[in-house]
Amino acid sequence: MAAYHIQIYDDDPTAALVTQRGLQALLGNEVIVQATTNANEAWLACANGNVDLLIVDPSPYGAAAALIRAVRTYRPYLPILALTAYDTPGLRARMQALGVELYAAKPIELRELAPLVSQALHQVV
């Protein structure tokens, strides 16, 4: 079986790296996890069709909303997980309105995040 590809977009380089390495270690050979702090790089990976799950940190100052809108337009069935330290009811509502299926608030233990990621990947057709 081919490995699933996960793309992480987080404008915090440390958070992106921790999430990337943690998920790669927990999920092993089942996945290839890539991370970027650049929304354009994340978009190109998604647009090329090489991504099975997009994990986005919708920080108040980042480009996450534009990235999500672009992905929803061109790859409407790509699962998206919002993973944010800025958890508010308003942000949850905005993410839901953008079509984000999964949502988790930071801090989150990677062992709690891994099942959400696995669930999303196994829904990929």
Side-chain angles (χ1 to χ4, degrees):
M1 174 177 88
Y4 291 106
H5 292 256
I6 299 171
Q7 180 66 54
I8 298 169
Y9 166 66
D10 192 323
D11 58 8
D12 177 341
T14 302
L17 186 63
V18 167
T19 305
Q20 175 192 17
R21 289 189 177 170
L23 286 175
Q24 189 69 65
L26 284 172
L27 300 174
N29 295 333
E30 182 182 355
V31 300
I32 297 170
V33 185
Q34 297 177 310
T36 183
T37 59
N38 183 301
N40 290 330
E41 288 178 13
W43 162 241
L44 287 174
C46 293
N48 289 333
N50 299 328
V51 174
D52 298 303
L53 172 64
L54 175 62
I55 299 175
V56 176
D57 179 358
S59 70
Y61 309 107
L67 172 60
I68 292 167
R69 281 192 292 276
V71 168
R72 279 290 160 253
T73 299
Y74 295 100
R75 299 228 19 233
Y77 301 109
L78 179 68
I80 299 174
L81 166 65
L83 181 62
T84 182
Y86 301 96
D87 183 31
T88 65
L91 180 59
R92 285 178 184 257
R94 282 192 300 279
M95 291 297 103
Q96 187 175 28
L98 289 171
V100 174
E101 300 89 358
L102 300 165
Y103 187 98
K106 295 178 189 177
I108 185 170
E109 293 285 334
L110 286 169
R111 66 176 180 258
E112 295 172 20
L113 180 60
L116 289 173
V117 169
S118 291
Q119 173 190 355
L121 289 174
H122 290 100
Q123 292 175 2
V124 173
V125 282

